[in-house]
Amino acid sequence: EQEINERERAQKLLYESQQRLELALRGADLGLWDYDLRKNDVFVDKTWSDLFGYSQEEVQPSLNAWRNMLHPDDRQAVIEAWNDHGEGRTAIYEAEHRVRAKSGEWNWVLSRGKVVERDEEGNAVRVSGTAFNITARKRAEEKLLQMSKVFMESIDPIFIRDLEGNIADVNRAAEVTYGWKRDELIGKPIK
């Protein structure tokens, strides 16, 4: 009877732990993935498949299927990051890359993972990690880059002030018009 009670208690604790992990991942919009290299078997949770508009049944559980979802321009860097970590040259696997969603769109993703099991020779046999959709951040970075180009290439002198009224930046036209170098002005009061 005591053994049954201990087993039920352990099962309850395991269930509660799994629930907490699932809630934390869902709350952070992190998709979970787990890859067993020996079996070439990939597990992804619902949040991961939702990131790309797939149902879990539509996700093909293999590394080759995942490689085919990668944007061609990102594929080599992702594979290099994966190999660097798998071969022990980096502490974690981390890559920002695009993945084709079911809709055909390219979603930007931050993937992080770690080898959680190695064989006797030190070869990676299991890697687990998370995926996070960073598409909105990448679009904001792109707009910021465009605005920066407009700022720097404008023919009109432009000064940017910080909240204290100090010069945070100036464009090339301001340097030419007023004869001051950008480095001499940044941090100085606008007066």
Side-chain angles (χ1 to χ4, degrees), residues 12 14-15 33 48-50 58 71 73 76 104 115 129 139 154 160 174 178 186:
K12 181 182 178 197
L14 177 61
Y15 174 78
W33 54 266
W48 189 98
S49 56
D50 287 348
E58 292 174 305
H71 191 284
D73 294 343
Q76 188 60 40
V115 172
R139 287 184 181 144
S154 173
I160 298 177
Y178 297 106
I186 293 178

Side-chain angles (χ1 to χ4, degrees), residues 154-168:
S154 173
I155 61 171
D156 294 321
I158 301 173
F159 288 78
I160 298 177
R161 295 185 319 179
D162 62 19
L163 294 175
E164 286 80 39
N166 297 321
I167 298 170

Side-chain angles (χ1 to χ4, degrees), residues 18-84:
Q18 288 172 330
Q19 288 295 314
R20 284 187 191 105
L21 175 60
E22 194 175 308
L23 290 170
L25 290 169
R26 197 175 327 141
D29 283 334
L30 290 172
L32 176 69
W33 54 266
D34 183 48
Y35 178 49
D36 185 328
L37 284 80
R38 290 174 289 206
K39 299 176 187 172
N40 191 29
D41 184 39
V42 178
F43 164 81
V44 297
D45 71 355
K46 183 174 178 353
T47 304
W48 189 98
S49 56
D50 287 348
L51 286 175
F52 310 108
Y54 293 99
S55 69
Q56 284 190 278
E57 294 75 30
E58 292 174 305
V59 177
Q60 297 177 14
S62 74
L63 192 58
N64 286 336
W66 172 74
R67 280 186 183 143
N68 290 333
M69 292 173 71
L70 292 173
H71 191 284
D73 294 343
D74 301 337
R75 191 172 290 135
Q76 188 60 40
V78 171
I79 291 169
E80 285 176 18
W82 179 265
N83 290 339
D84 284 346

Side-chain angles (χ1 to χ4, degrees), residues 80-92 115 118 122-124:
E80 285 176 18
W82 179 265
N83 290 339
D84 284 346
H85 178 62
E87 294 168 12
R89 290 186 292 274
T90 58
I92 63 168
V115 172
R118 293 187 181 274
N123 299 313

